[in-house]
Amino acid sequence: MTLTLIDHTRRTDDVTDQAVAPEVPSAQAPDPTPRRAAGREADGLAVASFVLGLVGLLAFNLLLGPTAIVMALLSLARRTRRPGRAYLGLALGVADLVVLAVLVTVNGTVAWNFGA
C-alpha cells in the first residue's frame, strides 16, 4: 500500500485565493514505490522459507517442508535481495521431505519416536 500526500500550497505572488495544482508524475518516470514494496515482500518470503524449513526439520515435516519450498521459489522468482536465504530455505524444505521419507521408511509412520 502506498500513501500519496498532496501539497496544496498557496502562492502569494500571483493569486492569493487559489491553490496550486499538485504535480502529476509524468508517464515516463515509473513510481519506485511498488518495486520497493515487492522487494521487501520477496525478502520476507526468503526469510520465512528459511525459518519454516529450519523448524520443519523438527516438527510438521509434511506441512512445513513443501511450504518452505514454495516460498523459496516465489522469493527467487521475485528477485529477492537475499538469494542465499532463499536457497537455504529451499534446501531445508527438501531436507524436511527427506527426513519425512526416512521416518516413514524406518518407523512406518509419520511421527517422531524419541523413546525406545
Side-chain angles (χ1 to χ4, degrees):
M1 256 175 35
T2 60
L3 176 65
T4 306
L5 299 175
I6 300 173
D7 185 17
H8 291 286
T9 310
R10 296 188 181 267
R11 284 186 173 171
T12 57
D13 54 348
D14 286 340
V15 180
T16 57
D17 283 348
Q18 295 179 355
V20 175
E23 290 185 24
V24 178
S26 66
Q28 294 176 358
D31 187 19
T33 307
R35 181 180 300 153
R36 199 175 317 139
R40 284 185 185 169
E41 183 178 313
D43 292 345
L45 282 171
V47 172
S49 71
F50 169 71
V51 170
L52 289 178
L54 195 60
V55 172
L57 287 175
L58 301 174
F60 301 115
N61 311 44
L62 186 62
L63 178 67
L64 296 181
T67 305
I69 292 171
V70 169
M71 289 179 130
L73 292 175
L74 280 174
S75 68
L76 288 171
R78 294 181 183 180
R79 307 271 187 206
T80 180
R81 290 180 292 167
R82 299 172 186 235
R85 290 203 183 149
Y87 286 123
L88 195 56
L90 182 64
L92 286 171
V94 170
D96 290 348
L97 296 180
V98 169
V99 167
L100 179 66
V102 168
L103 282 174
V104 169
T105 304
V106 172
N107 292 340
T109 182
V110 186
W112 286 89
N113 187 8
F114 291 113

